[in-house]
Amino acid sequence: SQQGEEDPQALSIQEGENATMNCSYKTSINNLQWYRQNSGRGLVHLILIRSNEREKHSGRLRVTLDTSKKSSSLLITASRAADTASYFCATDAGGNNRLAFGKGNQVVVIP
Amino acid sequence: ETGVTQTPRHLVMGMTNKKSLKCEQHLGHNAMYWYKQSAKKPLELMFVYNFKEQTENNSVPSRFSPECPNSSHLFLHLHTLQPEDSALYLCASSQGSKSNEQYFGPGTRLTVT
C-alpha cells in the first residue's frame, strides 16, 4: 500500500522563522491530510487538501499539493514554541476510510 | 482531543495477563480505528469498524482482539502479549464517509514486561 514519506525528518528552527516539510507518495490519491502530534499524545488533524486542489491555507499553515510529482508540502509561518511537535502526512487513496501515514517530521521551535 | 477518550492512559502488563483498552468517541461518528505507534515506525493501522462492523483487520495477531459494541465505543482486548507489542495504541474516529479526517484519542502507552 502507498505511504506518505516526509522530508526532512527533523527540523530545528528559531521562533518566528518559517518551517517547511515535504511529503511524497506513490499512487493516486483522493486527498492528503496533515496531522500534528505532541510528544506521547494523539494526532490532531490540521488540514486536508483534495486531489483537485493545489494550495490551501489555514491560519499560519499553507499546504500545497502537486499530483504530477506526487508530493505535498506543509509550511508553518512565523513559528512559535508551541508548534514544536511531530508532523505527519497521510494519504487517502481507496475511499474506504484507510489512511496511510508517513513516518513524521520532528519540528523543534527554539524560543 | 476531548472528543475521543481512551483509558487507561498508561498500562504495564505481564506477558500472561489479560487486559482491555477502551475508547469512546463523543462526536457522533460512524467509523472507529485502532492504530499502533512504535518508535521509529510509521503509524500502523490495526482495525477499522464502520457502523459497528469490522471492515479491516490489517493482519493483526490474534492476541489482539477488538470489540465494537456500538458506534461510540471500541475496545481492544489483549492477552499473552509479547514485549515487542509495547507501543502507543491510538484510537480514532471519523464520520465514516469517504476521505474524512480522523479524530484521535490521546492514546494508551502500553508496556509489556
Side-chain angles (χ1 to χ4, degrees), chain B residues 48-64:
Chain B
V48 181
Y49 277 82
N50 273 297
F51 294 96
K52 305 187 299 178
E53 300 296 322
Q54 186 179 125
T55 57
E56 181 140 359
N57 176 339
N58 201 22
S59 302
V60 180
S62 60
R63 57 186 184 270
F64 294 92

Side-chain angles (χ1 to χ4, degrees), chain A residues 2 8 23 33 39 46 48-50 63 66 68 74 107 109:
Chain A
Q2 66 174 322
C23 168
Q33 303 176 32
S39 180
L46 294 176
L48 180 154
I49 186 165
R50 302 193 187 283
V63 169
D66 187 335
S68 66
L74 171 67
V107 175
V109 181

Side-chain angles (χ1 to χ4, degrees), chain B residues 24-25 32 49 51-52 67-75:
Chain B
E24 183 174 358
Q25 59 97 358
M32 296 187 77
Y49 277 82
F51 294 96
K52 305 187 299 178
E67 179 191 358
C68 188
N70 55 60
S71 295
S72 299
H73 294 85
L74 186 64
F75 296 89

Side-chain angles (χ1 to χ4, degrees), chain B residues 33-96:
Chain B
Y33 314 78
W34 279 117
Y35 287 91
K36 175 184 178 182
Q37 187 177 35
S38 305
K40 309 295 184 186
K41 287 186 177 181
L43 208 60
E44 299 174 56
L45 178 65
M46 300 175 72
F47 301 104
V48 181
Y49 277 82
N50 273 297
F51 294 96
K52 305 187 299 178
E53 300 296 322
Q54 186 179 125
T55 57
E56 181 140 359
N57 176 339
N58 201 22
S59 302
V60 180
S62 60
R63 57 186 184 270
F64 294 92
S65 174
E67 179 191 358
C68 188
N70 55 60
S71 295
S72 299
H73 294 85
L74 186 64
F75 296 89
L76 188 62
H77 304 298
L78 317 170
H79 63 99
T80 60
L81 294 192
Q82 304 298 312
E84 60 264 28
D85 296 323
S86 299
L88 182 67
Y89 287 84
L90 293 164
C91 172
S93 70
S94 71
Q95 185 58 38

Side-chain angles (χ1 to χ4, degrees), chain A residues 52-69:
Chain A
N52 61 353
E53 297 176 310
R54 291 297 167 258
E55 187 171 314
K56 203 162 184 180
H57 297 255
S58 176
R60 292 183 296 111
L61 304 179
R62 173 176 168 256
V63 169
T64 63
L65 180 65
D66 187 335
T67 52
S68 66
K69 296 181 180 178

Side-chain angles (χ1 to χ4, degrees), chain A residues 1 12 14 24 42-44 48 75 78 97 103 107:
Chain A
S1 60
S12 183
Q14 294 290 327
S24 61
L43 280 71
V44 175
L48 180 154
L75 168 67
N97 304 329
K103 294 180 182 178
V107 175

